[in-house]
Amino acid sequence: MTNSEIVDLLELTARLMELHDRDQFKTRTFQTAAFNLDKSTADLANLPVDELVKLQGVGKSIAQKIREIAETGRLTELDELMAETPSGVLDMFRIKGLGVKKVRTLWRELGIDNLRDLQLAGENGQIAKIKGFGASTQEKILAALEFLQEQQGKVRMDKAAMIANMLHDELIKHFERVEVSGQVRLKAQEVDTIQLLVQTSDPVSAMLTLSNLPNLVQNERESSPFVWRGQLNGFDVQVEILFYSASQIDQQLFIHSAAEPHLKQAGPTGVSLLQAAYTTTDTVETAIYERAGLPYIVPEMREDDFAFRWASRHHNDELVTWEDLRGTLHNHSTWSDGKQSVAGMAAYCRELGLTYFGIADHSKTASYAGGLDAERVQQQQLEIDELNKGFGDDFRIFKGIESDILSDGSLDYDDATLATFDYVVASVHQTLTMSLEKATTRLLKAIENPYTTILGHPTGRLLLAREGYPIDHRAIIDACAEHNVVIEINASPYRLDIDWRWIEYAMQQGVMLSINPDAHDLAGLLDMHYGVAVGRKGGLTKAMTFNALTLPEMNDYLQQRREKIRG
């Protein structure tokens, strides 16, 4: 069991205890333990009780619960609570804005115990009549339900890649060649079908082989003699495995790894890519593009004709790669809600071959995340000064902050405090329900602030969980160009915000983009891989990638910016 899995079970236990009006003291014990352990770097599953009780927020009772989870994968107390709770009530916790008290009210007072009944109650106006809800809450619930329905059966990029790799590693034991294709190869940020191609001359035997593999559940109605469709146990996403002969697989890998609008693109002779794939004798992908008379396009960009417009101005070797990244600028430490110290994060960056690490812990308004007041800012910066003394000229920690953009668009520090940072990431974290006009105006004011260096996760979206607030992307990008503000590609697979479709416009306006992991632990730093993927999908070049600047270049950039502010 991983730490996050253990914490999730403790949190769920606390939530259901509150739902069922269990002992308040015991409920708080679970809540406190889950809150503190979420930041712990200890290997919870392998600690004995006498070591667990030394951790903050963990008493002997909770320590014994953790041992039970680690040894059995379950918690008896949670199983009993789950048995008393309709599965549909658990689903209601996924609705944005519905906490335990509201879910309990809906269940106890209206008898709603599933999402379908919740939707009907909202459509009939029953929710608005409940004390403490009202028409506004009812409207938000209905909007959240609609969003969840649209996301059903999808997984994020990171989970899709994990599932595809698991399947590939299992299938390659039985078949000569297996290729990951479809949405995963296209680097889609949300995936509804995990697709793989298998090379075989005997589809009947191949189907029998798949039927004997553990954890694969076939949907026989959706399958055919040449296509296995079903699911991998534990994951709510369709799996599609297609069988092709050795002579077909290269051709089909290309066809299944490009969107239909891209395949329809034709070259000077009128031959489309799809036609070229079926008519060329050499079926490797470069030869298919050559047969159509079109420039070769990397897989992640094969969406529509955008890639060819891009290719008229750029070459593939200009696209940003992981190796191009020289540093990372949006990260959190134990000073706010991170799980590692500044020193630990910086050390891991050095192991990754990066030459600078930027800390951007939460600011004072984000009290829920341990945000830093002015005094703690000063303390952290003294720590960074001491750490930097131990580095040579080849590495540096930059002093940043993720400053909250308040409702009126101002940042949540005075100018004297903002002036102490090397750079400022300005982000919205609270009051997310806004009209397009309100959200755009709020961001524009933050962009105009001379201390704003990077605009963080511009729409605040959480993929598959929360829609972003609406913004006028062109107006925001134009303002960033005017005020020399970098835009973040938040590389967390939960966000991937700004959306890749706006990268080309940003580059055209001369706005650089920073691939920021928003890392809260060491593993989070590796999320920059996802940021690189969506950056490449949108045509991001190394030249327009902010954190591809070398350490001397970044030093100069930030120094010149500070001097300009001082006037």
Side-chain angles (χ1 to χ4, degrees), residues 289-354:
Y289 282 96
E290 188 175 339
R291 168 82 175 86
L294 292 168
Y296 174 76
I297 302 298
V298 298
E300 50 265 55
M301 292 182 73
R302 296 174 189 169
E303 293 286 352
D304 48 31
D305 62 344
F306 150 71
F308 297 107
R309 296 196 304 272
W310 181 92
S312 69
R313 299 184 297 275
H314 301 283
H315 299 288
N316 288 328
D317 58 9
E318 294 177 49
L319 286 169
V320 68
T321 66
W322 170 269
E323 289 74 21
D324 292 328
L325 303 184
R326 295 290 176 262
T328 172
L329 293 166
H330 181 174
N331 306 285
H332 299 271
S333 73
T334 49
W335 279 93
S336 64
D337 62 344
K339 296 183 179 182
Q340 297 285 341
S341 66
V342 174
M345 297 283 276
Y348 190 56
C349 284
R350 297 191 79 183
E351 286 183 35
L352 294 175
L354 302 176

Side-chain angles (χ1 to χ4, degrees), residues 128-147:
K129 298 174 184 177
I130 303 174
K131 184 179 179 181
F133 282 75
S136 175
T137 297
Q138 178 175 274
E139 187 179 328
K140 290 175 184 176
I141 289 172
L142 288 172
L145 280 167
E146 183 180 356
F147 180 76

